[in-house]
Amino acid sequence: MLHLGGLRTALFNYLLARRYGGEFILRIEDTDQARLVPGAAEGIVQTLEWAGLNFDEGPGKGPDKYFQSQRSDIYRKHAQELLDRGAAYRCFCSTSRLEALRTEQTAQGRAPAYDRHCAHLSSRQIDEKLRAGERHTVRMRAPSAEDSDSGRFYDIVHRAMDFRGPAGFDDAVLLKSDGQPTYHLANVVDDHLMRITHVLRGEEWLMSTPKHRALFTAFGWQAPQYAHLPLLMNPDGSKLSKRNDDGPVQRYIDDGYLPESLVNYTALLGWHPETPQELFTLRQLEQSFSLAGLSRSKSVVSRERLDWLNRQHLRAALADPDKSAGLIQQARAEVAAASGLETASVRPETVATALRLAGDRLTFTKDLYNAVPFMFGDPALDTTAAEQALILVPHEFHIPILNALEHALASEVSESWIGFAKSVAAAAQVPTKHVMMMLRFALTGERFGPKIPELLDALPVDSIKRRIRNAKTEIESR
């Protein structure tokens, strides 16, 4: 399941590739079989497709193997190359010894690091252990801080970095005892073989970058440029994780956000455009994105801003003939589910009109029925909401206004609805504002809602006449 931070990382890599004519490559890191979730890879691909982030190479597309579990032979070959060069060694330490070492170092206030217990085993000792079938890992022989510049590098986001010291130069495991590679080896090898020039990833990998640069040096390869993206945070200052409601991308999809709005929002989590513009299409992001706009500050995930973006993109999509038809059909099914009506009885034309009428008040299409229920049936007039509208008009004006409305609607209305309301007000000898509120009461059963002229244009005249008769019956029955 792709996390919002993972979507941001993918998006920034995608935008960088599109802006500068590069290639966006999707690799699936599935070498840790114990943590492998069935269907996770397919979910990542589907989520990227939903977001419109089409990769140039990846599962099912391209000349290479893109699941790291399918590339084990490649990693073992390169691990052997490091062993032959003396840049790596076999470690036969048991799990219990390593745990005891870690406990001792922690108790002494030292950072846990391997003590190179196996780094100086002779060839004969190693051969004996191998013949005995002892389980082992392969560790990199990390250079000392004095002998290497791997810990000193330039990060596109964090600028000049200097991690020279024990934390950046422990002898990391490259091949696990089951023969599978760790992230350190697999990604360095793949970055080289796939000609990766830029790596944009989460800042949790910043401390590991010296190890990766040391591996590039050990192989004699050129390291890519790195950009480590700051963490995403909850409003309370805690780290956004997969376990948070706002963590998984699928949660946003299920909640009804449009891909355009989530992509727009995600792009602004750690990237600042050169202009005050906030609303972007994916194409506009491709043309505007730059590494110079990446921020070192942590970004707070806020649904309020995302909701606003979704309203703007929903309005734009409804105005686009290529997108509106699908949204209307989606909203039609959602209205049927919310109202209990048969889908066949919910007319697409009514849904389209309702979507236009709801306007900026609508964040999701699934909320259409609750936003304008009166578009799909006569409103109930004995509710608290209806009463709140009715009490704004003096009681003695209720029936005169409704009688005047009935009379005026008996013949074809040839003037604007504003002119019509003023004529009714004059006939009933009441202020125009009371006519407007009585119309709102009769037509919607609510105090607030769309502008009355827009509402009168949206509803069929027969429906308007019937609702006014219903309002008159309701009031006369009290």
Side-chain angles (χ1 to χ4, degrees), residues 150-258:
S150 298
R152 184 168 55 189
F153 59 94
Y154 182 84
D155 183 86
I156 293 169
V157 174
H158 296 273
R159 308 297 188 261
M161 304 301 298
D162 193 340
F163 283 109
R164 290 176 296 176
F169 289 91
D170 61 318
D171 288 2
V173 173
L174 303 180
L175 277 185
K176 293 176 284 188
S177 59
D178 62 359
Q180 291 294 331
T182 61
Y183 176 91
H184 306 302
L185 177 64
N187 281 271
V188 166
V189 170
D190 286 348
D191 284 348
H192 172 71
L193 296 181
M194 295 182 183
R195 307 179 310 283
I196 301 300
T197 59
H198 292 75
V199 175
L200 279 63
R201 60 188 182 185
E203 69 177 7
E204 63 268 25
W205 292 107
L206 188 59
M207 290 288 289
S208 295
T209 304
K211 303 173 190 175
H212 301 162
R213 287 173 48 79
L215 281 172
F216 275 104
T217 300
F219 281 118
W221 299 336
Q222 177 68 42
Q225 296 186 56
Y226 291 98
H228 289 87
L229 308 174
L231 298 175
L232 298 182
M233 311 298 290
N234 292 306
D236 64 2
S238 61
K239 177 185 173 182
L240 185 73
S241 72
K242 294 179 180 179
R243 290 178 292 276
N244 293 119
D245 287 345
D246 288 338
V249 175
Q250 189 59 48
R251 178 64 180 269
Y252 294 92
I253 298 174
D254 294 342
D255 285 348
Y257 289 99
L258 298 175

Side-chain angles (χ1 to χ4, degrees), residues 304-361:
E304 183 178 350
R305 189 184 194 190
L306 177 56
D307 287 349
W308 179 82
L309 286 169
N310 206 64
R311 287 192 288 273
Q312 310 314 308
H313 281 286
L314 178 57
R315 183 172 62 178
L318 290 171
D320 183 343
D322 293 334
K323 297 179 180 179
S324 60
L327 286 171
I328 289 170
Q329 290 303 320
Q330 175 181 315
R332 185 185 181 201
E334 291 166 339
V335 166
S339 64
L341 297 169
E342 293 291 334
T343 303
S345 67
V346 181
R347 300 176 60 207
E349 298 83 357
T350 303
V351 173
T353 302
L355 286 167
R356 175 179 55 79
L357 204 61
D360 289 343
R361 295 186 304 281

